[in-house]
Amino acid sequence: MIPSPSSHHDESIAEGDLSSPSFEHELDPKQGYNNISSSADSVPENPSSPADSVPRNLSSLVNQENEETKLQNILSKAATVTKTVIITTVNAAWTAPNSIFDLFLEGLRSGNQTQALLNHLVVGAMDQKAYSRCLELHPHCIALTTDGVDFSGKANFMSEDYLKIVWRKLEFQRTVLEMGYSIIFTDADILWFRDPFRRFYSDADFQIACDHFGFNSTDLNNSPNSGFIYVRSNNMTIQFYKFWCKSREAYPSKHDQDVLNMIKFDPFISKIGLKIRFLDTAYFGGICEPSKDLNVVCTMHANCCTSLETKAHGLQMMIDDWKIYMTKPGNRTKPHPWTSARYCSK
């Protein structure tokens, strides 16, 4: 459901506005802290063959430390003055020429004053092919390859590979938070048309987009979509992410979003004092529940398109709509709807 038009057409007054509308000058996040898992955790307590296992474990630890150093360097280069980064993840299928990643970058370049946000974007590449393509297009890329797991292909919704990918994305978010950086995580099938910071809430630790929004941003009955999340790095969010990742064990056949829907009512959330807010689809829309007005939309997600091809088709149609909108000065005090309604049809 979309709130009344009067609350959405004046960009200077809206629920969730921060005192400053700029990404570069957002409110300082609560102080984070480094809480990276001890490298000793990787060493078995009772290796079956010490002579064989110690060198292998030492090599693994060195590689882990090197990867953490690489990530720290990339994050420090991409972060804002308040240690906030935008992160996304892609695989080979999503980085193919003229596919999802290209459209994602085009959206940021064609948005309303969103080009500078590219400086703060860190891309996690799930396989070597995606990493190589990322380096061709963007300066801040990190390899998230996992030994023995191939993340390169198209992963059908809820398939085994799909579940591995979505949980790997969540572990990546957790790692960045533990390094002391606040994050905006965005799926690459989301187009950014405006700087979202002016629509975030200043009193929340964890803010998430919705498939369906029901007016009240604090109502846990909203339907969250884990493709777009703003998280401040602090003790509470780090504990929450550990709890979220650990809860996978209780629901092995569920993806991260389903698990979040199950744990959001858990007393643990109240116990740690985590403040959760749900983002209005009027500003953070998607195919499931589109933003109704191009005058105020910040992001649009191809979340109800089930295949790579229909996602790309829908994203291209949204970009075309946006470019037409931007070339028409017109009277923007009135709602400006999207010209296309069936984004997933092809």
Side-chain angles (χ1 to χ4, degrees):
M1 298 176 67
I2 302 297
S4 61
S6 62
S7 66
H8 297 144
H9 299 148
D10 181 359
E11 289 201 83
S12 63
I13 303 175
E15 181 188 26
D17 277 359
L18 298 184
S19 56
S20 170
S22 169
F23 182 94
E24 286 290 352
H25 301 92
E26 78 272 24
L27 296 180
D28 288 344
K30 300 172 185 176
Q31 185 177 1
Y33 70 100
N34 292 331
N35 189 28
I36 301 171
S37 300
S38 170
S39 57
D41 293 343
S42 302
V43 182
E45 293 182 2
N46 298 300
S48 57
S49 176
D52 293 333
S53 61
V54 171
R56 181 171 63 250
N57 289 329
L58 287 175
S59 176
S60 177
L61 294 178
V62 169
N63 289 336
Q64 179 183 339
E65 291 172 359
N66 288 340
E67 291 305 313
E68 288 180 358
T69 300
K70 288 179 184 178
L71 180 56
Q72 278 281 17
N73 290 338
I74 290 172
L75 292 172
S76 65
K77 291 176 182 177
T80 68
V81 293
T82 56
K83 293 190 72 175
T84 302
V85 291
I86 303 167
I87 60 176
T88 192
T89 54
V90 292
N91 67 356
W94 282 44
T95 55
N98 303 313
S99 190
I100 302 294
F101 189 51
D102 284 4
L103 293 167
F104 174 72
L105 296 177
E106 183 180 354
L108 279 163
R109 294 188 187 109
S110 62
N112 186 357
Q113 299 181 340
T114 55
Q115 298 86 345
L117 300 182
L118 286 164
N119 298 327
H120 308 296
L121 172 67
V122 175
V123 180
M126 310 289 277
D127 56 82
Q128 186 57 47
K129 191 171 183 179
Y131 181 62
S132 298
R133 182 85 205 292
C134 181
L135 291 175
E136 295 175 7
L137 302 174
H138 189 67
H140 306 311
C141 305
I142 186 73
L144 299 181
T145 53
T146 302
D147 290 342
V149 180
D150 181 8
F151 287 132
S152 63
K154 297 179 183 179
N156 293 326
F157 183 67
M158 294 307 295
S159 66
E160 184 178 352
D161 286 345
Y162 173 86
L163 292 175
K164 289 178 180 178
I165 288 173
V166 296
W167 286 106
R168 182 69 181 93
K169 290 191 298 185
L170 200 69
E171 289 286 355
F172 180 42
Q173 294 173 49
R174 172 184 163 182
T175 297
V176 176
L177 290 171
E178 290 178 342
M179 288 181 169
Y181 292 88
S182 298
I183 61 172
I184 300 179
F185 175 80
T186 174
D187 277 343
D189 62 340
I190 294 178
L191 296 177
W192 288 44
F193 296 115
R194 288 182 176 87
D195 184 336
F197 259 89
R198 67 192 319 274
R199 301 296 181 185
F200 290 150
Y201 298 93
S202 59
D203 63 344
D205 305 296
F206 177 88
Q207 307 181 46
I208 187 166
C210 295
D211 284 333
H212 303 286
F213 180 78
F215 289 114
N216 187 342
S217 66
T218 61
D219 186 357
L220 292 175
N221 290 302
N222 283 305
S223 302
N225 186 296
S226 58
F228 189 89
I229 309 173
Y230 172 41
V231 195
R232 301 181 188 276
S233 176
N234 59 43
N235 293 358
M236 291 173 290
T237 56
I238 291 171
Q239 288 184 68
F240 171 65
Y241 264 76
K242 289 179 178 179
F243 177 59
W244 190 0
C245 292
K246 183 71 174 176
S247 296
R248 178 188 184 184
E249 297 175 7
Y251 308 100
S253 62
K254 302 294 184 181
H255 59 57
D256 61 326
Q257 188 170 299
D258 280 345
V259 172
L260 174 61
N261 256 325
M262 294 172 183
I263 67 173
K264 64 186 179 183
F265 298 102
D266 195 284
F268 178 77
I269 306 300
S270 299
K271 181 179 179 180
I272 63 175
L274 184 79
K275 293 182 179 179
I276 300 175
R277 289 273 200 152
F278 298 89
L279 299 171
D280 193 335
T281 51
Y283 309 118
F284 303 92
I287 302 302
C288 299
E289 189 169 284
S291 167
K292 303 295 185 185
D293 190 357
L294 281 155
N295 290 323
V296 300
V297 65
C298 292
T299 62
M300 277 285 284
H301 190 181
N303 52 356
C304 277
C305 301
T306 57
S307 71
L308 185 66
E309 291 75 18
T310 55
K311 282 181 182 292
H313 177 69
L315 293 172
Q316 185 61 66
M317 292 177 71
M318 285 185 238
I319 289 175
D320 292 344
D321 267 2
W322 175 259
K323 288 182 176 179
I324 292 172
Y325 164 78
M326 290 296 287
T327 59
K328 294 180 178 179
N331 182 358
R332 294 187 177 175
T333 60
K334 297 180 180 180
H336 196 294
W338 300 89
T339 59
S340 302
R342 300 180 63 190
Y343 289 110
C344 290
S345 62
K346 187 179 179 183

